[in-house]
Amino acid sequence: QDKNKVFLSNQLIDQLSPTETPVKSILSWNVQPKKNQWVVSYIVSLEESKEKQVTKKVTFMLKEKDQKYQVTKLPQLENFEINL
């Protein structure tokens, strides 16, 4: 958690709950300003098992503080599908 203090606001540091699911790929999806913060979204492919991959949309909020960016809202995972 000490390494994450640079990137997380103090209110969020104790709310972390990491997982061990390997990430196969990451795609930047959306970055939008919202008041004095940024809403950031990525699409990630996770390898749940050798045979199963799932695609999720990860959304979080960033705020500039002392010329650095900190996460102010923990990432939210949503199911995601691209319909072609």
Side-chain angles (χ1 to χ4, degrees), residues 3-48:
K3 289 193 288 186
N4 294 323
K5 284 183 180 178
V6 174
F7 305 107
L8 293 169
S9 63
N10 290 336
Q11 305 92 290
L12 299 179
I13 198 78
D14 293 331
Q15 297 177 30
L16 286 178
S17 57
T19 67
E20 297 292 325
T21 307
V23 174
K24 294 294 283 181
S25 64
I26 301 173
L27 170 68
S28 177
W29 188 253
N30 191 25
V31 177
Q32 289 184 319
K34 185 176 182 181
K35 295 185 182 177
N36 62 342
Q37 300 186 73
W38 293 88
V39 178
V40 180
S41 296
Y42 285 90
I43 304 303
V44 295
S45 291
L46 304 172
E47 186 176 17
E48 288 189 337

